[in-house]
């Protein structure tokens, strides 16, 4: 049952995000009420992903080498930096159009590197696929992009600091949940 919930959760989360891109006329006709319905569907998707992932039977596909943890931690930190860059206009923000989706891709790849079980492949592979398809859909719908103005290296450093703090908070939560993210 866990795998079914996990897949359904990914489908709800992705579908809720893609409605605006795939059927924009219908989405516009729904108005503000439609935004609420889609937000609830995406929230339900997240809940189903968590419940499904935690309840899925463990099926090991491979056993990642321990050194992958270092690479994964670096990728997760980069992912949080890109998330921060979506609000803080550093020089990197002017080079990467989809900063949050880039952050999700880095996060997903990181987790795929260190988790060799089927539930992880479905969850993190599904989120990676969602981010890749989202970039394609957004670019197809709107080819032009206005690069952020007033960018600075100082803002890159500030965004990195914000990303580092977020990384520390999430690492603490992982540790609290029993998933120690740092190798011995």
């Amino acid at each position: 049952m866990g795998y079914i919930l996990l897949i359904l959760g990914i489908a709800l989360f992705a579908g809720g995000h893609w409605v605006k891109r795939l059927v924009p006329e219908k989405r516009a006709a729904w108005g503000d009420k439609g935004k609420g319905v889609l937000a609830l569907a995406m929230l339900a998707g997240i809940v189903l992903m968590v419940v499904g992932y935690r309840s899925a039977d463990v099926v090991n596909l491979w056993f990642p080498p321990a050194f992958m943890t270092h690479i994964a931690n670096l990728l997760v930190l980069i992912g949080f930096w890109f998330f921060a860059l979506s609000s803080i206009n550093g020089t990197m923000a002017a080079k990467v159009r989809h900063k949050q989706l880039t952050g999700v891709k880095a996060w997903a790849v990181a987790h795929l590197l260190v988790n060799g079980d089927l539930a992880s492949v479905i969850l993190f592979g599904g989120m990676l696929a969602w981010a890749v398809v989202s970039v394609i859909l957004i670019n197809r719908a709107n080819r032009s992009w206005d690069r952020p103005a007033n960018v600075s290296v100082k803002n890159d450093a500030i965004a990195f600091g914000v990303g580092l703090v977020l990384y520390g908070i999430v690492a603490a939560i992982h540790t609290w949940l029993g998933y120690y993210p740092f190798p011995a």
Side-chain angles (χ1 to χ4, degrees), residues 101-161:
L101 291 169
T102 300
V104 169
K105 289 183 226 178
W107 167 85
V109 168
H111 284 78
L112 286 169
L113 289 176
V114 294
N115 294 290
D117 61 288
L118 181 59
S120 294
V121 170
I122 292 171
L123 175 61
F124 302 116
M127 293 304 291
L128 178 60
W130 165 75
V132 168
V133 171
S134 293
V135 167
I136 293 166
L137 291 174
I138 293 167
N139 288 346
R140 189 175 294 158
N142 187 1
R143 296 200 183 277
S144 66
W145 173 46
D146 295 327
R147 295 179 189 277
N150 302 321
V151 299
S152 71
V153 173
K154 177 183 174 188
N155 284 349
D156 280 328
I158 291 169
F160 186 80

Side-chain angles (χ1 to χ4, degrees), residues 10 34 43 57 62 64 70 75 77 85-86 95 107 149 159 167 171:
I10 293 168
L43 181 61
D57 293 330
W62 73 85
H70 300 294
L75 284 171
L77 178 58
L85 283 168
S86 69
K95 295 177 182 170
W107 167 85
Y167 176 82

